[in-house]
Amino acid sequence: MALFHRYLIFTFLILFFTGCAAPQAVAQFDPGEVPYDIAPISAPFDMPQLQRPVIHERVFSIVDFGARERHEIGDELVTDAIHAAIEAAYDAGGGTVLVPEGAWLTGPIHLMSNINLHLEDGAKVYFSENREDYLPVVPQRHEGVEAYNYSPPIYAYKVKNVSITGKGEFDGQGQQWWDWYREHGAPPRDVATTIPLSRRDFGKGSGMEGMRPSFVVFWKSEDILIEGVTFTDGPMWNLHLIYTNNAIVRDVRINSLYAPNGDGIVIDSSQDVLVEYVHLETGDDAVVIKSGLDDDGLKINIPSENIVVRNFQAVDVRTGSGGIVFGSETSGGIRNVYVHDAFFDGSDRGIRFKTNRPRGNVTENIYVRDIEMRNITNQAINFETSYWYRNPTGPTPMIRNIDIRNVSIDGVPQAIELIGLPEMWLLDIHLENITVINAGQGVNIKRVKNLTMKNVSVSSVERAFIADEIFELYLENVIISDETGEPPIVISGRNSNVIVVDEDFPMESIELKDGLSRDIIGNEVPPLAR
């Protein structure tokens, strides 16, 4: 009997008699049924219980300050009326700035402390298509590098106790921003990181064109809530939290499918953040955690940490993106992140870690649970430490202590890819209760130390498990099968060693290359690995 057929019989018997623990299907929440109460946060690290900001109930309608609907005034902006309402609320000690039902055209909205910007159901705020309306410049972080640039459509600078709420919609009318970017190309951010901000030839005023602002920016702010509203067609990144603490984003819908770099929610060198019940259809990463780029990020050195992302959907996420992503700007470090209960359908990738030299710093203590993926375009689980296929010199980034459990994957060209750097392997990766079906390729591993795979089932067309330079690989109740008719597991690399498998694991399912000896495989953890 051919080796492949014997192995299929073995895997069937294991599944039949013992079972390979598969994750339960993730319930797809109905955005109309989002609970008002914020459930307690229970994370594998210390995390405060975040609460909504408390803002005075007094109301300041923009109509009372001269705002008229778009159909009445055409292209006349209501920016002054909105700002007058915000200033009046601020001077009174806080309150709700009300945008009533209807269509409103405005320039950028600059928020102040103790304000709730509330969009009534049926309210739609359109932002000006004239770039000159977004001057003067304001400080921001453009793709990990600080700059002075056009104001974001919604901007909050060093504010406290601020909300954006309601059931209305913000429309960024981003087409003119996208065309402008495509005409001029991406600004040279890699060069800008090496120059002090005061002399940085980067951003508006430097003669540079094509640098778009994010849609919503909270800069060095705290006690923030964004809830209930919809964001459509922003200039690029949508909700961007920079150096911001104690923030909640919930029950938000984002549609940026046609926006270049249209990332959904960007948590950037921020702490104590909760994201939940969001629905994202984005032109880049759905939810992404960052912390600055290269020299600039290393000097600022503010991590993103203590973050919970739960109960969310990412559908039709495009252009090299992922459902939940870490990086690629990781120079301030990323730690203590808990992601659970998510559904990804049609995403470019699912769970993704991406970084590169000279980003440096550490991404660590990441916990991912209960994820359902369908129709993934590239990899379902992807660790990429040479992002953009470059090989620069400089500080080497580290990724360690990553724990991913309860994931179902149906339909993907490559299920799992874990790639470390020659001088910095991936460290301490735990994959448990992972089920993969309808995969072209299965698992591809290169330069990983201490990888545990428990209750993992992978079925692919091509070779199901390829490992090159793996040290300390622990396989417990792992079912690997493919359609090649050859051993489904291939291990190579002269530094590969310490492969620990179940007592009943079929040794003939493993092919060793590069002169590796069968002595590296056993049923017990050797002393050197304890």
Side-chain angles (χ1 to χ4, degrees), residues 322-500:
I324 179 70
V325 178
F326 303 84
S328 67
E329 298 86 354
T330 59
S331 298
I334 299 171
R335 58 178 176 256
N336 296 349
V337 181
Y338 183 32
V339 180
H340 65 93
D341 292 285
F343 175 69
F344 306 152
D345 190 355
S347 297
D348 193 78
R349 291 171 177 85
I351 304 164
R352 191 179 196 195
F353 294 78
K354 55 183 180 179
T355 187
N356 199 0
R357 311 180 196 91
R359 307 284 157 93
N361 223 309
V362 183
T363 298
E364 63 183 346
N365 304 339
I366 311 299
Y367 307 88
V368 181
R369 303 282 188 274
D370 303 305
I371 310 294
E372 181 181 352
M373 304 188 208
R374 301 177 189 167
N375 308 312
I376 302 301
T377 306
N378 286 289
Q379 300 89 15
I381 299 174
N382 171 242
F383 288 61
E384 186 175 358
T385 50
S386 294
Y387 186 57
W388 282 118
Y389 310 103
R390 300 181 307 157
N391 191 34
T393 60
T396 299
M398 174 185 288
I399 299 176
R400 67 185 179 194
N401 193 25
I402 312 299
D403 192 315
I404 300 173
R405 307 188 188 203
N406 308 334
V407 178
S408 65
I409 301 163
D410 183 354
V412 63
Q414 184 175 57
I416 300 171
E417 182 179 59
L418 312 177
I419 308 294
L421 290 166
E423 76 277 21
M424 185 65 69
W425 292 20
L426 303 177
L427 302 173
D428 307 328
I429 312 297
H430 187 100
L431 305 178
E432 183 171 343
N433 294 349
I434 313 289
T435 300
V436 179
I437 60 174
N438 296 320
Q441 299 176 2
V443 180
N444 182 32
I445 297 168
K446 191 176 183 67
R447 305 187 194 103
V448 181
K449 183 180 186 296
N450 191 19
L451 169 63
T452 296
M453 300 179 69
K454 180 179 180 180
N455 298 339
V456 174
S457 173
V458 177
S459 175
S460 65
V461 175
E462 299 181 30
R463 225 51 182 274
F465 192 107
I466 299 174
D468 181 21
E469 305 285 19
I470 177 74
F471 189 86
E472 298 179 29
L473 170 64
Y474 303 93
L475 304 179
E476 180 179 348
N477 194 23
V478 171
I479 309 302
I480 304 292
S481 62
D482 59 36
E483 299 178 12
T484 64
E486 301 180 61
I489 300 175
V490 181
I491 298 176
S492 62
R494 62 187 182 86
N495 294 309
S496 292
N497 208 333
V498 188
I499 314 298
V500 181

Side-chain angles (χ1 to χ4, degrees), residues 155-384:
Y155 185 68
Y157 178 79
K158 293 183 178 180
V159 301
K160 295 182 179 180
N161 208 46
V162 172
S163 299
I164 301 173
T165 64
K167 292 298 182 184
E169 179 181 354
F170 294 102
D171 190 329
Q173 300 198 105
Q175 186 66 55
Q176 57 88 19
W177 291 107
W178 311 337
D179 293 343
W180 181 60
Y181 162 77
R182 291 185 177 107
E183 177 185 355
H184 296 284
R189 60 177 183 152
D190 291 355
V191 176
T193 66
T194 64
I195 303 170
L197 180 60
S198 61
R199 296 188 290 108
R200 187 167 294 165
D201 187 21
F202 190 64
K204 180 62 178 175
S206 67
M208 182 175 304
E209 298 295 322
M211 184 188 289
R212 299 159 291 155
S214 297
F215 199 160
V216 180
V217 166
F218 281 88
W219 174 278
K220 296 183 179 179
S221 298
E222 59 184 280
D223 300 326
I224 305 304
L225 171 68
I226 306 174
E227 183 172 30
V229 290
T230 296
F231 297 90
T232 303
D233 291 344
M236 52 172 292
W237 294 359
N238 285 276
L239 306 187
H240 191 182
L241 305 177
I242 310 170
Y243 317 137
T244 288
N245 304 328
N246 299 323
I248 300 171
V249 180
R250 70 190 311 266
D251 191 17
V252 163
R253 303 181 74 91
I254 295 175
N255 187 326
S256 61
L257 285 175
Y258 302 103
N261 315 107
D263 300 56
I265 298 169
V266 183
I267 302 167
D268 193 352
S269 291
S270 295
Q271 296 82 41
D272 298 332
V273 178
L274 171 64
V275 176
E276 65 176 359
Y277 297 110
V278 296
H279 180 93
L280 307 167
E281 300 179 34
T282 56
D284 212 314
D285 300 327
V287 178
V288 58
I289 301 168
K290 301 175 178 286
S291 62
L293 180 77
D294 298 354
D295 287 356
D296 200 50
L298 289 166
K299 290 172 184 176
I300 294 168
N301 196 31
I302 299 176
S304 281
E305 62 183 336
N306 297 346
I307 297 162
V308 172
V309 184
R310 63 190 184 187
N311 301 314
F312 70 106
Q313 297 177 344
V315 179
D316 199 12
V317 176
R318 302 179 180 179
T319 63
S321 56
I324 179 70
V325 178
F326 303 84
S328 67
E329 298 86 354
T330 59
S331 298
I334 299 171
R335 58 178 176 256
N336 296 349
V337 181
Y338 183 32
V339 180
H340 65 93
D341 292 285
F343 175 69
F344 306 152
D345 190 355
S347 297
D348 193 78
R349 291 171 177 85
I351 304 164
R352 191 179 196 195
F353 294 78
K354 55 183 180 179
T355 187
N356 199 0
R357 311 180 196 91
R359 307 284 157 93
N361 223 309
V362 183
T363 298
E364 63 183 346
N365 304 339
I366 311 299
Y367 307 88
V368 181
R369 303 282 188 274
D370 303 305
I371 310 294
E372 181 181 352
M373 304 188 208
R374 301 177 189 167
N375 308 312
I376 302 301
T377 306
N378 286 289
Q379 300 89 15
I381 299 174
N382 171 242
F383 288 61
E384 186 175 358

Side-chain angles (χ1 to χ4, degrees), residues 62 78 82 99 102-107 109 119 123-127 168-173 215:
I62 64 171
V78 299
I82 293 175
V99 180
W104 314 89
L105 179 65
T106 184
I109 298 172
L119 271 62
K124 188 166 184 177
V125 176
Y126 295 89
F127 286 94
E169 179 181 354
F170 294 102
D171 190 329
Q173 300 198 105
F215 199 160

